[in-house]
Amino acid sequence: MAASGAAPAPAEGADSAPWAQLEAPAQLLLRALQAGPDGARRGLGLLRALASRGGEPFGWGRILEALCREEPVVEGPDCRLELKPLLLCLPPLCQRNLMSLLMAVRPLLPENGLLPVLQIAQQNQSPDPDAWLWVLGELLRRDLNGGVSTEGVSVLSKSCQGRLQGLCRRLGRGGRRLKLLQVPEPEEEEEEDKEDRDAQQPGKRRKGREEGPTSPEGECAPKKFRCLEGEEEEGQEEERCEPESLEPLADGGDALPIKNQSVRAKPSEAGQSLEAAKDLAESLELPKPVQDQVPRLQQLLKTLGEGLEGALPVELQLLHECSPSQVDLLCAQLQLPQLSDPALLQLCTWLLSLSPDLSLSNATVLTKSLFLRRILSLTSSASRLLMTALTAFCAKYAYPVCRALLGPVLQAPGTGPAQTELLCCLMKEEALEPDAQVLMLGQILELPWKEETFLVLQSLLERQVEITPEKFSVLMEKLCREGPAATTSMAYAKLMLTVMTKYQASITEIQRLGLATVLELNTTFLRKSLQAALRHLGP
């Protein structure tokens, strides 16, 4: 019943997941939940793998809090920036699998953290609400409201109950049709009790019941379809059909302490699920040669902080044996975001000396870990060491820096003068090759613009980037579109002046007319300079 669907684009770039700012274990869990219809099982397999390594218990409280935290997202055809809880930014498939996982690990969850998540899920204003997601949330809410009686009240809508009844009629088995469990009438209860007593007497059988092959557990074919019933009656040999549990993946060894979860899965399906969970757990664990070197790398990074440097450590060559998710896990274990600026510069020097070069995906993960949090936390101008490290890394790995750093920093709600100054300096660096400049421009054109974007784009265009006619057309269209909202912006006025002077030969007559319309609205003291530059364009 799982089906994927479109979710709001995260404000940090089209290729960046909504959970990119979370801690490594939380990121791994959400990636597993997004893996497909069996994402909940994979998530449980991941939790088992993390628990088997020991260390701190999984931080459910922090994850639930993060799901309620508002994140900037781009909404609508006009690309407006809005704040939405992270939970509603997740793809629908990931939301479903997350709710299924929360049901499986319910005893481990703090109620004060789970309740706000359920309230946010109920506030989803989507024009096409996900009925399955609503049912999962309703079941969790009922579990929290232990003192409220819900006996005889179904979580299914009337239309859903009607469709399910039709399905039960088509799935009739053994001469008896399946039906939804309903609250029985007193007369029906007495009749069923009489049938049960007759069936227990020697030589008598229940009416309408046909003998069939027994299951591997010695149970007979079911008399009723009991998907909605949670109690087992003693003395009866009726097979129960309960919601399939997610616990088989936690079997065998160090299982998570998940209680009250029944297991009724076919052997073949359970084996496939276990194998899939094992494969996922292996992909999210460091290769043994790398894991063995983690203490050595931690000690090495500590000496970097003390100013002790040396030749390229051979242990870093093991990065080539890791997938991007494993590199992410390694960065978390090594606590790379906490490195000092001198240690960061030395580590970047070593990484740039690796042969062969890092893959683009691994370099993207390293860029996020090494620079993103460090830059977003700046409150004053970046140090010379940080700028040197970033410039050197960008010169070799321009695409990872463009995707993992430029977009997220420009779209972060906390971007201020320190971050803007750093990006402007990066745009002006001579080490930035023409191909890298084009990449940076393409990334900026994909983003919604704001005041900081004008400043960074103006610094980049000062370099007279080689722009294709198609890309220049997009630039001019966005520039004219932003004019009415930026009539008092000095950053926008400077950007307009740069475009009209540096790219005069590329501006068409139609684009010139669009610029003239925008300049009529401008109220900055650069208006006369802008009008003079416009006259130089000429008809």
Side-chain angles (χ1 to χ4, degrees), residues 410-448:
L410 280 177
Q411 291 303 104
T415 298
Q419 290 77 22
T420 306
E421 179 188 10
L422 179 143
L423 292 180
C424 289
C425 291
L426 182 62
M427 298 299 110
K428 296 176 182 178
E429 277 294 338
E430 295 296 331
L432 207 61
E433 297 291 335
D435 289 346
Q437 297 172 7
V438 173
L439 277 175
M440 299 291 182
L441 176 61
Q443 174 68 57
I444 294 175
L445 292 179
E446 293 176 4
L447 302 173

Side-chain angles (χ1 to χ4, degrees), residues 101-279:
L101 181 65
L102 293 180
M103 289 186 66
V105 299
R106 168 65 190 89
L108 305 178
L109 304 179
E111 289 192 9
N112 59 348
L114 180 58
L115 189 57
V117 172
L118 298 179
Q119 290 172 344
I120 289 175
Q122 196 174 26
Q123 295 168 4
N124 191 353
Q125 300 298 322
S126 171
D128 185 21
D130 190 326
W132 185 246
L133 188 62
W134 186 90
V135 168
L136 292 173
E138 180 65 21
L139 290 173
L140 277 169
R141 276 191 293 273
R142 289 191 178 189
D143 194 23
L144 286 178
N145 299 332
V148 179
S149 174
T150 57
E151 183 178 356
V153 181
S154 174
V155 297
L156 304 179
S157 64
K158 295 294 184 183
S159 61
C160 183
Q161 290 184 46
R163 290 195 299 269
L164 188 55
Q165 287 170 348
L167 176 63
C168 291
R169 284 193 293 271
R170 292 196 298 271
L171 294 178
R173 177 180 176 186
R176 295 178 65 94
R177 296 185 179 275
L178 304 178
K179 60 182 179 179
L180 286 176
L181 181 69
Q182 300 174 347
V183 180
E185 298 292 338
E187 295 81 0
E188 294 180 1
E189 283 185 336
E190 293 177 4
E191 184 180 346
E192 286 197 9
D193 289 342
K194 185 176 183 302
E195 286 186 4
D196 290 341
R197 287 192 298 270
D198 292 343
Q200 293 171 5
Q201 294 178 11
K204 288 192 177 182
R205 295 191 329 180
R206 230 180 257 185
K207 269 186 185 180
R209 178 168 176 174
E210 296 181 5
E211 294 182 0
T214 58
S215 68
E217 300 174 359
E219 296 175 341
C220 298
K223 184 191 81 170
K224 281 192 175 183
F225 189 65
R226 298 193 175 237
C227 283
L228 304 178
E229 187 173 22
E231 298 178 359
E232 185 173 0
E233 300 175 4
E234 297 181 1
Q236 297 186 3
E237 298 178 334
E238 297 179 345
E239 182 186 29
R240 300 177 56 209
C241 177
E242 297 182 353
E244 184 176 327
S245 171
L246 301 176
E247 195 172 12
L249 297 183
D251 289 347
D254 302 323
L256 289 173
I258 301 174
K259 299 178 181 179
N260 301 326
Q261 296 292 324
S262 302
V263 179
R264 285 289 187 274
K266 295 181 180 178
S268 59
E269 293 177 354
Q272 291 173 0
S273 301
L274 284 169
E275 185 176 351
K278 181 179 179 182
D279 293 341

Side-chain angles (χ1 to χ4, degrees), residues 206-366:
R206 230 180 257 185
K207 269 186 185 180
R209 178 168 176 174
E210 296 181 5
E211 294 182 0
T214 58
S215 68
E217 300 174 359
E219 296 175 341
C220 298
K223 184 191 81 170
K224 281 192 175 183
F225 189 65
R226 298 193 175 237
C227 283
L228 304 178
E229 187 173 22
E231 298 178 359
E232 185 173 0
E233 300 175 4
E234 297 181 1
Q236 297 186 3
E237 298 178 334
E238 297 179 345
E239 182 186 29
R240 300 177 56 209
C241 177
E242 297 182 353
E244 184 176 327
S245 171
L246 301 176
E247 195 172 12
L249 297 183
D251 289 347
D254 302 323
L256 289 173
I258 301 174
K259 299 178 181 179
N260 301 326
Q261 296 292 324
S262 302
V263 179
R264 285 289 187 274
K266 295 181 180 178
S268 59
E269 293 177 354
Q272 291 173 0
S273 301
L274 284 169
E275 185 176 351
K278 181 179 179 182
D279 293 341
L280 179 67
E282 288 176 355
S283 69
L284 297 177
E285 290 180 351
L286 294 177
K288 190 175 187 309
V290 179
Q291 187 65 55
D292 292 342
Q293 295 299 325
V294 167
R296 160 73 179 150
L297 288 171
Q298 290 173 333
Q299 184 61 33
L300 186 66
L301 294 177
K302 184 179 179 181
T303 60
L304 285 181
E306 297 171 355
L308 302 177
E309 303 171 3
L312 173 65
V314 295
E315 292 84 359
L316 291 179
Q317 294 288 352
L318 295 173
L319 286 171
H320 296 300
E321 300 182 17
C322 297
S323 66
S325 58
Q326 290 169 338
V327 172
D328 197 14
L329 185 59
L330 178 62
C331 291
Q333 291 190 19
L334 297 179
Q335 297 183 329
L336 294 189
Q338 281 75 47
L339 285 178
S340 64
D341 287 354
L344 171 68
L345 178 58
Q346 181 58 47
L347 179 58
C348 286
T349 303
W350 283 339
L351 293 173
L352 296 175
S353 301
L354 287 174
S355 181
D357 293 345
L358 294 165
S359 68
L360 290 181
S361 53
N362 282 356
T364 301
V365 174
L366 284 167

